[in-house]
Amino acid sequence: MGFDMESLLEATSGAVGALVSTTILYPLDTCKTKYQAEVSGHHQQKYRNISDVLWEAISTNQVLSLYQGLGTKNLQSFISQFVYFYGYSFFKRLYLEKSGAKTIRTKANLIVAAAAGACTVLMTQPLDTASSRMQTSAFGKSKGLWKTLSEGTWKEAFDGLGISLLLTANPSIQYTVFDQLKLRLLKGKLSNKTGTESSPEALSAFSAFVLGAVSKCIATTVTYPAIRCKVMLQAAESDEDGTTKEAQPRKTVSDTIYSIWKREGLLGFFKGLEAQILKTVLSSALLLMIKEKITKTTWVILLALRRYLIVNRTRLKAA
């Protein structure tokens, strides 16, 4: 199979997996994001946990508002995962080709994953910012994608870009751990390939789910303080209680760090960690499970498309 075709396979299967997992877990993501965005003293908290966010939506008959921003989030997830998986596969294969190595080492894998992550962030940051603003808006008051972005400057659309680039370490750690565990799990397994274009080896659904959960849990715990700062930087300017950006300074990283430290102390940097782990671990595990299961199907479809184009090209030349 050609170089670009395999990269396209990884990108397509990863993007579809992201789309499905994001949709399934979106209400949990909204509750988690609104909880993370709140910064206040211990006795002034509106939300004690993510269940308070859910109860607010139910008690105000705004359950459907838990899906506010879903379209933007799905668009952002699809594009980011497509770009990430394509870039990750592309850079990894390029490294192996240039180095002549048969397998990629852990350090090189981290660099490759970080490079793919940086490309993804630069292309999708405005969508990420918009989806966070929609989720943290008052229930029932979320605006559309274009209106959300047009209310501010393009510079504001890239709020949290520096932290997002720093957080490329998150998927770097996650997919490096996943790939290494996957290689060890599949090591020694007999290959049933019958030709040069047979489908790649895939994990079982359960194995992919477990490895995805473990790898994402490790990555999330290590990078969580930066994750919370990014959510606060991207949050909507005001909430339903009427607080304004003057009362909640978060336009710079230093302002955000100071605000958390002053109002919540050291533990404030880990507020919502449990919710973040629950959401991201389930999301990542579902993504990787779905990706592994549709890889072979996608491979067959792309291979059939490739052969169809070759046959048509040959017929046109003959004519």
Side-chain angles (χ1 to χ4, degrees):
M1 179 62 71
F3 181 89
D4 290 336
M5 189 66 74
E6 185 165 337
S7 297
L8 184 61
L9 167 68
E10 288 291 313
T12 303
S13 57
V16 172
L19 192 64
V20 175
S21 63
T22 296
T23 301
I24 292 174
L25 298 173
Y26 195 74
L28 173 61
D29 188 33
T30 297
C31 292
K32 182 266 307 177
T33 302
K34 286 182 73 69
Y35 178 62
Q36 287 175 318
E38 182 191 34
V39 56
S40 60
H42 179 69
H43 299 292
Q44 299 175 330
Q45 289 184 352
K46 181 179 180 180
Y47 304 124
R48 293 169 297 176
N49 47 58
I50 62 171
S51 62
D52 286 346
V53 184
L54 177 61
W55 176 246
E56 180 189 12
I58 295 174
S59 62
T60 57
N61 296 319
Q62 295 287 344
V63 176
L64 292 180
S65 292
L66 292 172
Y67 290 91
Q68 59 190 28
L70 175 60
T72 299
K73 192 70 171 182
N74 272 337
L75 179 61
Q76 186 258 336
S77 295
F78 186 88
I79 294 175
S80 64
Q81 291 301 323
F82 186 92
V83 173
Y84 181 82
F85 278 108
Y86 188 91
Y88 180 73
S89 178
F90 179 88
F91 290 134
K92 184 166 68 172
R93 287 174 63 86
L94 183 63
Y95 169 81
L96 293 175
E97 184 179 275
K98 296 297 183 181
S99 65
K102 294 183 178 180
T103 59
I104 186 169
R105 296 180 178 275
T106 302
K107 184 181 294 186
N109 206 0
L110 282 169
I111 296 174
V112 165
C119 292
T120 302
V121 166
L122 292 173
M123 293 185 65
T124 62
Q125 186 66 22
L127 290 174
D128 188 31
T129 300
S131 64
S132 291
R133 289 177 183 172
M134 291 177 184
Q135 287 182 309
T136 54
S137 296
F139 285 132
K141 297 181 180 179
S142 177
K143 301 169 184 176
L145 172 59
W146 178 249
K147 192 170 184 180
T148 299
L149 290 176
S150 62
E151 285 184 338
T153 64
W154 271 107
K155 183 178 181 181
E156 291 175 337
F158 284 88
D159 278 347
L161 177 60
I163 293 181
S164 293
L165 289 172
L166 176 64
L167 285 173
T168 55
N170 188 296
S172 297
I173 296 170
Q174 176 197 352
Y175 292 117
T176 297
V177 172
F178 181 84
D179 277 352
Q180 295 304 312
L181 292 176
K182 178 182 175 181
L183 285 174
R184 284 170 171 75
L185 191 63
L186 295 177
K187 189 176 182 180
K189 188 175 182 179
L190 293 176
S191 175
N192 294 321
K193 295 181 180 180
T194 57
T196 58
E197 292 186 324
S198 57
S199 61
E201 193 65 65
L203 293 171
S204 66
F206 178 76
S207 296
F209 187 93
V210 172
L211 295 190
V214 171
S215 60
K216 191 61 179 181
C217 186
I218 293 173
T220 299
T221 302
V222 171
T223 61
Y224 185 74
I227 292 173
R228 195 189 174 204
C229 286
K230 183 172 82 75
V231 170
M232 291 179 60
L233 282 168
Q234 295 177 329
E237 292 296 337
S238 62
D239 210 335
E240 56 265 51
D241 60 359
T243 55
T244 61
K245 61 183 177 181
E246 286 79 20
Q248 295 182 7
R250 54 183 183 270
K251 281 303 177 184
T252 66
V253 176
S254 59
D255 284 342
T256 302
I257 293 174
Y258 177 74
S259 181
I260 296 174
W261 177 264
K262 181 180 179 180
R263 301 185 185 189
E264 300 177 346
L266 181 62
L267 292 180
F269 291 99
F270 293 91
K271 176 184 175 181
L273 175 60
E274 301 89 346
Q276 182 74 29
I277 289 179
L278 176 62
K279 183 267 171 181
T280 54
V281 166
L282 287 176
S283 177
S284 177
L286 282 171
L287 187 158
L288 293 171
M289 180 181 70
I290 294 167
K291 174 180 175 293
E292 287 293 324
K293 297 312 294 180
I294 68 174
T295 291
K296 288 187 177 182
T297 301
T298 308
W299 181 279
V300 172
I301 293 174
L302 292 176
L303 184 58
L305 178 61
R306 180 192 182 200
R307 288 177 174 171
Y308 174 79
L309 293 174
I310 291 175
V311 169
N312 279 352
R313 191 181 304 134
T314 302
R315 288 177 178 175
L316 288 174
K317 288 182 178 179

